[in-house]
Amino acid sequence: MNTLDDSRLSADGASTADAPAVDTDAAGTSRPPAAPPVDTAPRGIDEIVAAAREGRERVDAVDLLRLLEQGVWLIDLRTPWTRDLEGHVPGGVVIEPTVFLWRLDPLSGSRLSDGPGYDDLVITMCNEGYSSTLAARDLRELGFARATDVIGGFRAWAEAGLPIQAEPTRYIT
């Protein structure tokens, strides 16, 4: 039995229950609904990255080596073709960028069972230290207050002559 009220059907019989509201002007002419107000003016990516880094201490490659020896979480967010070509930081955990927030979020049903806690130092790494800055910002929004990233990314690690291995220490899908 159809419980849809006839007043919520369009001329062709389709439901209009989920259709957007239509505004009309003084003359009764319909127009699309007004866009919601924008909280901020458009910004370029350089400004967004700078804001994400503001007030945050980032980690350089040499400090990362020391921190890895202490057991911090290093999340490698580089693309597979880059990782396969350039190698991996020993101790790093590869998590694909499309799922890393769900795998680390303690409130997610898709979280790693042994993932980091909110108080753990979680360090993100990309190729050169830009997208990892945004990833660290996103982790902070989830509650990982100490999340940060590697200055210069994997390339800085390699340029410093630090150890590189062919396979990841751990790979999470």
Side-chain angles (χ1 to χ4, degrees), residues 26 29 57:
T29 306
E57 186 174 333

Side-chain angles (χ1 to χ4, degrees), residues 54-120:
E54 191 172 306
R56 293 290 165 184
E57 186 174 333
R58 299 172 72 216
V59 175
D60 68 25
V62 174
D63 285 337
L64 177 59
L65 179 62
R66 178 182 51 79
L67 291 167
L68 283 166
E69 292 169 354
Q70 296 173 10
V72 302
W73 281 83
L74 174 64
I75 308 300
D76 186 343
L77 300 168
R78 295 176 298 143
T79 60
W81 51 89
T82 303
R83 295 187 314 256
D84 292 347
L85 179 66
E86 297 180 0
H88 302 268
V89 172
V93 178
V94 172
I95 305 179
E96 297 300 328
T98 56
V99 297
F100 92 98
L101 293 171
W102 286 265
R103 300 300 181 258
L104 297 180
D105 180 5
L107 301 177
S108 170
S110 300
R111 181 192 198 287
L112 296 172
S113 60
D114 63 342
Y118 289 121
D119 295 329
D120 291 334

Side-chain angles (χ1 to χ4, degrees), residues 103-154:
R103 300 300 181 258
L104 297 180
D105 180 5
L107 301 177
S108 170
S110 300
R111 181 192 198 287
L112 296 172
S113 60
D114 63 342
Y118 289 121
D119 295 329
D120 291 334
L121 177 57
V122 180
I123 302 170
T124 57
M125 182 181 67
C126 64
N127 289 332
E128 296 178 346
Y130 295 98
S131 60
S132 60
T133 291
L134 300 179
R137 174 204 61 193
D138 293 346
L139 285 171
R140 288 190 301 273
E141 287 188 30
L142 288 178
F144 294 94
R146 298 177 63 207
T148 190
D149 71 310
V150 180
I151 300 167
F154 181 85

